[in-house]
Amino acid sequence: MPDDDIATRLIHHPYVPPAGFAAPQPGVSKASTVFFADTAALRARRWHSRAGYTYGLHGTPTTFTLEERLATLEGGTQCLLAPSGLAAIALVSLSLLRQGDEVLVPDNAYGPTKALVQGELAHWGIGHRFYDAADPQDLARCIGLATKLVWLEAPGSVTLEFPDLPALAALCRQRGVTTALDNTWGAGLAFAPFDLRRSGAGVDISVQALTKYASGGGDVLMGSVVTRDERLHQRLRGTHMRLGLGVGGGDVEALLRSLPTLALRYRAHDAAARELARWLSVQPGIARVLHPALAGSPGHAHWRALCAPDGGEGLAAGLFSAVFDARFGPADVDAFCDRLRRFRIGYSWGGPVSLAVPYDIPSMRTASVTAWPHAGALVRFSVGLAQALAGLPA
Ligand SMILES: *Cc1c(COP(=O)(O)O)cnc(C)c1O
């Protein structure tokens, strides 16, 4: 094409780099359009097959690579990526629920998971109930003919009660109801969601906010949906395609870079958080520290059975909450947070920076499900990667 002008030659350049480049990091593909060799190949395209490529939104070598690694991490066989953890949660609920169905959500679930069923699904004629995850009998009572999906979360959001996850999953399996676990806290490391150590008791779907530990940088928002059943995966994948959920190649690149250090970082967060939680639990003014690996914390025995079954240290992420003595009101607790050194005030977790957030628990729980037994206000700490005790007020 010697007569083409420079603009055309810059686009249709004949150079093709030699094949065989190999390096520790996978290449990064960013594309909307994917070329087909000819019209016959275009007509033969199979949107649902992962053996080839059709359009950037439906997968690139980069997204397929991250999906495979996340499926391996969680002990699953398929994975879908969504633009945030919450988008992954919404994808699961939107895919599996129809008008007239009911979804069950733990009363101590991640707040926006509850807001989704109350503020969106309810408008489409999808019912919901909040259940007490500490009581498998309550879940058994809540499962009805219309129940098509049960959300699980371990531990509970902010209050960190650890449920008997194998019992809850086994119950749902007996009743033939699909289970989806929000596995952001466990990150695929603390326990294996598809193998909960009792026969037949694994979850059907494991969702993670990769935003937290998988990213580790506090600079990426992404979610994953891992399954072990091809039919279930294809159902979710169809919804994923129809909703147009996609992730950017640059964000996937960041995740692929972070994933090899996930286990190291998770252990470091965990060790620092336990040190700080133990220290705080004996300070005057603190009524109680909620951390699943601390004896006396709600569900500690369930945590031990699932996350430290060999009697060792186990794994427990970098989160804990402190309940203040009832004589400290919300203003005192806010002042405590404002005086913290090193800890910044902000949501999310899993990044290098330690964070603290005061919460008003009674307003977050459904009184009919879970009576909040503690009088005082609560602060949730997310411990970053700095030395643990350096951050507290003098
Ligand atoms: C942060 C979080 C989410 C949502 O993740 P985003 O990427 O922020 O949307 C979901 N579940 C849990 C338990 C979380 O902590």
Side-chain angles (χ1 to χ4, degrees), residues 155-160 185 212-213 268-292 294 316-325 332-361 364 372 377-394:
S157 187
V158 182
T159 43
L160 299 162
W185 179 93
K212 309 290 167 56
Y213 290 117
H269 286 289
D270 180 2
R274 286 197 214 195
E275 184 185 343
L276 202 48
R278 288 204 179 97
W279 181 84
L280 207 56
S281 68
V282 294
Q283 299 308 308
I286 301 296
R288 191 158 193 203
V289 169
L290 305 169
H291 183 307
L294 256 59
L319 290 179
F320 65 91
S321 290
V323 182
F324 280 69
D325 196 306
D332 302 314
V333 173
D334 286 359
F336 167 89
C337 291
D338 289 334
R339 279 176 53 230
L340 289 168
R341 289 181 292 123
R342 305 289 182 231
F343 280 80
R344 303 300 303 264
I345 313 292
Y347 292 108
S348 198
W349 33 277
V353 177
S354 297
L355 299 167
V357 180
Y359 284 94
D360 175 36
I361 299 301
M364 297 160 60
W372 174 241
L378 174 150
V379 176
R380 200 272 310 276
F381 295 91
S382 154
V383 180
L385 291 170
Q387 201 187 338
L389 290 176
L392 290 172

Side-chain angles (χ1 to χ4, degrees), residues 82 86-99 101 103 113 115-117 119-126 148-149 151 180 205 207 225 232 235-245:
L86 186 55
I89 291 166
L91 163 65
V92 171
S93 283
L94 292 174
S95 185
L96 301 185
L97 297 167
R98 300 282 178 271
Q99 188 176 21
D101 291 346
V103 56
T113 301
L116 176 75
V117 303
E120 297 296 331
L121 302 189
H123 300 316
W124 302 337
I126 297 165
K148 292 289 151 49
L149 176 66
W151 277 98
I205 300 167
V207 169
V225 179
L232 183 57
R235 179 163 177 181
L236 294 162
R237 187 167 155 81
T239 306
H240 184 267
M241 285 172 64
R242 288 186 288 273
L243 289 178
L245 298 179

Side-chain angles (χ1 to χ4, degrees), residues 84-87 89 110 153 182 184 209 211-212 221-222 348-349:
S84 69
L86 186 55
I89 291 166
Y110 178 64
E153 200 169 321
D182 183 331
T184 304
T211 307
K212 309 290 167 56
L221 289 150
M222 204 182 294
S348 198
W349 33 277

